[in-house]
Amino acid sequence: MSTGQMNFVVFDADGVDAAQFPPRHALLVGPEDVPVEGDVVLNDGALQCRKRVQQSSGVMIQFQVAQPGENPSGNGLGLLTIQTCLLPERDRPYLLSIELARHQIMFFLNKLEDWGLFDLPPDHEVMQEFESARSAFTEALVAQRKADESGEPDRAGFCPNADRQAARSLAIALSAGEHLTLLQADRQIRARLAGRAYTDAVANLKRLTPEIPPTGTPILIPGAGQVVLHGLPQMGCAVSPGQFGENLQRAVLNSCDFITMPMRWSDMEPSEGKYNFTPTDRWIEWAIRTAKLPVHAGPLVDFRAQSTPEWLYIWENDYETLRDLVFEHIQAVVTRYRRTIQRWTVASGLHVNTNFKISFEQIMDLTRMCVHLVRKLHPASKIQLEVAQPWGEYHASNRRSIPPQLYAEAVLQTGLQVDSVGVRLQMGDAQPGFATRDMMSLSAMLDRFATLEKPIFVSAIGAPSAPIPPRPFRPRVGADAEDAFEPGYWRAPWSENQQAEWLTQAVSIACSKPYVQGVCWQELADAPSGVPPEMPHGGLLAAGGAPKAAFTRFAQIRQCLREGRTPLALLQQKNG
């Protein structure tokens, strides 16, 4: 039952009632940006948000952000998922564009403080851009006040001019935020390349305690809220066991410090009790004996539809049997590969809880069992727990799920010996949790997980090289289809060049973080026809093995890091 309601007025590009405005990806968010239960619907040109909890909340929504001065029908800054601030209930509706711009301005100021960039002079181009955004926001407020005083006819007390100025402010503030993010990333990556980030952390720790960890181990400064790692981040790629050939091997050698074997349960044990290890064996044998590359593996347990064998659904309502099957599966796989794998991702996305519906206690029990079992079978390995859909949109509609950070915190508070937390950073696919966001949101999300005080591994990062049409999402084969899901895009509709541009910024930002241990691209090559991909068009290579622009850029970023150069210089070369 609804406990409260907020309404937002929406105008279309021509400044008239937006009767057809699509409230895509719309949901309510509460404190700490955690999604909360509620309904968001369009009714008579107003976005109606019905809350089911008694707390201040904001709305998160997919929004077309136009470049300032650009034709509103242009690509602009992209079709991005953004949000408002937390807002109190009131009888009069809010103007959506004003509240989105207000949040973006506050977001910029918060990150300016978090990143210690208040020393930027007023004439710096980023600060000038931000001041333009703030000025446009003020103009929007003034326009609305004048409309209120004059009583001119408009939509629910709001005028189109205020909406236009607010949309302009939003676009400028979002652009300024991305520029600020790249500036911070460049500063951090230079400090990391020079070794200053680690040596400074050691010096700060010496002021607090005489006991200094051995050189090379992660440094955790009490009260700092994150670890600082020694050395450079490692760069790697997930390789599908179903594809194997010399062109793929060359690509790995030219671009990767490690490979990740996905080990999807549906591939490893397609029929109950009958394992198919051969495709995985040949990649691991090549990596260990020929390429001399470290091999990471997993997730061992991942209940996404594409990773779950059909025969396992027989036991979806029998947790004890399901748990036993998980135990036996982990035991079989880890026992076979424990001499070759350096890092195990033991489980992924259990907190999402959309395919197998299990309780909170069962989620935590399964997590504990997975970690303890792999630790027992392979004590020398690194143990990693993976967080999927890190913005947690699923939690707005699934009461049995756990918000991503809350799940990670709950696991670590139990004292489980987890060496790192993996985070999946995938955007642009037509399925829940893959909506496209701006670069400052990406950077801030990583910072949020850094407060876990564990090394972070970006275990799957990716975007497509071609648009993925909205398509009905089926949680699993045979289930009823849900509404078509619009993936959005960043800056321009997805293409090979746009994928490479997104990769350059996203991977460079991740590598700049002093707590990020490694970055893994989601898939080496696009899947052949008829084979379910991790993401359509999401590989660094085409299905036939031809390199895309993203592959060249990925290899260049790795080379820059090895040579002690900032990879963000690649953007300047492109712009030049």
Side-chain angles (χ1 to χ4, degrees):
M1 183 175 179
S2 176
T3 62
Q5 181 168 313
M6 297 185 299
N7 294 336
F8 295 86
V9 170
V10 182
F11 290 95
D12 69 11
D14 298 318
V16 298
D17 293 4
Q20 302 302 316
F21 176 81
R24 295 174 299 223
H25 299 246
L27 52 89
L28 296 174
V29 293
E32 305 297 326
D33 295 337
V34 174
V36 297
E37 285 188 276
D39 300 308
V40 183
V41 297
L42 185 72
N43 186 12
D44 192 26
L47 203 63
Q48 295 181 345
C49 305
R50 303 184 185 96
K51 300 189 292 183
R52 298 177 191 168
V53 290
Q54 284 287 11
Q55 64 181 45
S56 295
S57 60
V59 64
M60 179 184 292
I61 193 166
Q62 193 177 66
F63 199 83
Q64 183 76 54
V65 183
Q67 287 275 16
E70 179 188 67
N71 185 323
S73 62
N75 295 325
L77 299 179
L79 185 56
L80 302 171
T81 297
I82 52 181
Q83 68 184 76
T84 70
C85 301
L86 299 183
L87 300 167
E89 298 175 21
R90 70 180 192 185
D91 294 333
R92 185 187 181 193
Y94 294 95
L95 181 59
L96 180 62
S97 56
I98 280 184
E99 298 311 324
L100 292 173
R102 190 193 308 275
H103 177 269
Q104 201 63 40
I105 288 172
M106 290 183 62
F107 192 22
F108 183 99
L109 290 171
N110 288 339
K111 299 316 292 180
L112 198 68
E113 180 178 3
D114 292 345
W115 293 338
L117 293 175
F118 271 118
D119 60 340
L120 291 179
D123 60 350
H124 192 283
E125 58 184 358
V126 171
M127 297 308 298
Q128 288 183 331
E129 189 175 23
F130 174 69
E131 287 303 323
S132 296
R134 193 147 55 176
S135 176
F137 183 73
T138 301
E139 291 176 16
L141 296 179
V142 170
Q144 182 55 48
R145 187 178 65 187
K146 289 182 177 179
D148 292 341
E149 293 173 351
S150 65
E152 65 182 54
D154 49 39
R155 170 68 181 160
F158 291 96
C159 70
N161 186 41
D163 178 76
R164 284 192 292 269
Q165 293 296 338
R168 178 170 171 266
S169 171
L170 170 64
I172 301 173
L174 195 146
S175 176
E178 291 204 325
H179 290 149
L180 184 74
T181 302
L182 294 179
L183 179 64
Q184 167 68 355
D186 192 56
R187 287 188 175 190
Q188 284 189 312
I189 208 162
R190 290 178 187 276
R192 190 167 187 182
L193 289 170
R196 293 197 307 273
Y198 190 79
T199 55
D200 289 350
V202 171
N204 289 332
L205 189 61
K206 285 181 177 178
R207 299 190 186 101
L208 301 173
T209 175
E211 298 181 5
I212 303 299
T215 302
T217 57
I219 297 295
L220 174 61
I221 303 173
Q226 67 181 42
V227 298
V228 178
L229 303 174
H230 182 267
L232 300 175
Q234 300 296 294
M235 293 182 60
C237 191
V239 294
S240 172
Q243 300 184 72
F244 189 75
E246 291 185 4
N247 56 342
L248 302 182
Q249 294 168 12
R250 284 195 300 271
V252 168
L253 288 171
N254 291 331
S255 62
C256 296
D257 301 311
F258 65 90
I259 64 169
T260 293
M261 298 304 305
M263 294 193 176
R264 299 181 183 93
W265 197 340
S266 54
D267 294 333
M268 305 294 288
E269 193 182 5
S271 299
E272 186 174 2
K274 297 180 180 179
Y275 279 89
N276 179 21
F277 292 120
T278 303
T280 301
D281 285 350
R282 61 186 181 181
W283 264 113
I284 292 179
E285 182 178 3
W286 171 82
I288 297 299
R289 295 186 177 181
T290 304
K292 312 297 183 185
L293 286 175
V295 181
H296 303 174
L300 295 171
V301 180
D302 177 2
F303 288 147
R304 291 182 299 167
Q306 64 264 45
S307 302
T308 305
E310 278 299 300
W311 59 264
L312 192 63
Y313 290 111
I314 299 172
W315 311 106
E316 62 181 320
N317 295 316
D318 182 350
Y319 175 71
E320 294 304 321
T321 301
L322 177 65
R323 187 183 191 277
D324 290 343
L325 291 169
V326 169
F327 184 98
E328 293 170 3
H329 173 67
I330 292 177
Q331 189 172 44
V333 175
V334 175
T335 300
R336 182 178 184 87
Y337 293 115
R338 59 188 170 187
R339 296 183 183 275
T340 58
I341 303 301
Q342 289 194 359
R343 180 183 300 270
W344 292 100
T345 298
V346 297
S348 174
L350 295 180
H351 55 97
V352 179
N353 202 19
T354 54
N355 205 15
F356 282 72
K357 299 295 179 66
I358 56 181
S359 68
F360 174 85
E361 291 76 15
Q362 290 167 344
I363 292 172
M364 299 303 294
D365 175 64
L366 205 56
T367 302
R368 284 191 297 270
M369 188 267 286
C370 292
V371 172
H372 285 318
L373 180 57
V374 177
R375 181 68 71 189
K376 178 181 178 181
L377 294 171
H378 193 178
S381 68
K382 297 294 184 182
I383 302 296
Q384 180 165 285
L385 193 64
E386 188 173 74
V387 173
Q389 301 189 38
W391 277 276
E393 302 98 320
Y394 58 86
H395 189 61
S397 57
N398 183 2
R399 298 183 65 180
R400 302 184 71 172
S401 66
I402 309 173
Q405 189 165 1
L406 179 61
Y407 167 70
E409 289 173 350
V411 169
L412 296 177
Q413 286 171 3
T414 64
L416 283 179
Q417 297 180 38
V418 174
D419 296 295
S420 58
V421 175
V423 178
R424 302 184 74 90
L425 267 178
Q426 297 160 287
M427 299 184 187
D429 196 3
Q431 60 177 305
F434 286 65
T436 307
R437 287 173 166 80
D438 63 280
M439 290 296 165
M440 190 158 73
S441 294
L442 182 153
S443 180
M445 188 274 294
L446 285 174
D447 288 346
R448 190 174 298 127
F449 279 97
T451 61
L452 297 171
E453 299 184 346
K454 285 284 185 180
I456 302 298
F457 212 103
V458 181
S459 47
I461 191 169
S465 60
I468 301 174
R471 65 183 189 273
F473 172 70
R474 291 174 174 83
R476 74 178 214 228
V477 176
D480 294 334
E482 298 180 359
D483 293 337
F485 200 85
E486 168 60 59
Y489 59 86
W490 177 76
R491 298 279 174 168
W494 297 110
S495 64
E496 288 199 17
N497 287 336
Q498 202 58 27
Q499 181 193 42
E501 189 74 3
W502 183 91
L503 178 153
T504 306
Q505 295 199 23
V507 171
S508 296
I509 290 167
C511 287
S512 74
K513 303 294 186 181
Y515 50 79
V516 168
Q517 203 161 33
V519 176
C520 181
W521 188 261
Q522 62 186 358
E523 198 159 37
L524 177 62
D526 292 344
S529 177
V531 178
E534 174 64 32
M535 175 188 290
H537 318 296
L540 296 174
L541 312 177
K548 302 179 187 178
F551 170 77
T552 301
R553 193 58 66 85
F554 193 79
Q556 288 175 335
I557 292 174
R558 176 173 173 264
Q559 187 64 27
C560 283
L561 294 175
R562 298 303 167 268
E563 295 175 356
R565 297 183 290 118
T566 171
L568 290 170
L570 297 169
L571 294 174
Q572 299 170 2
Q573 293 173 13
K574 176 183 179 297
N575 295 335

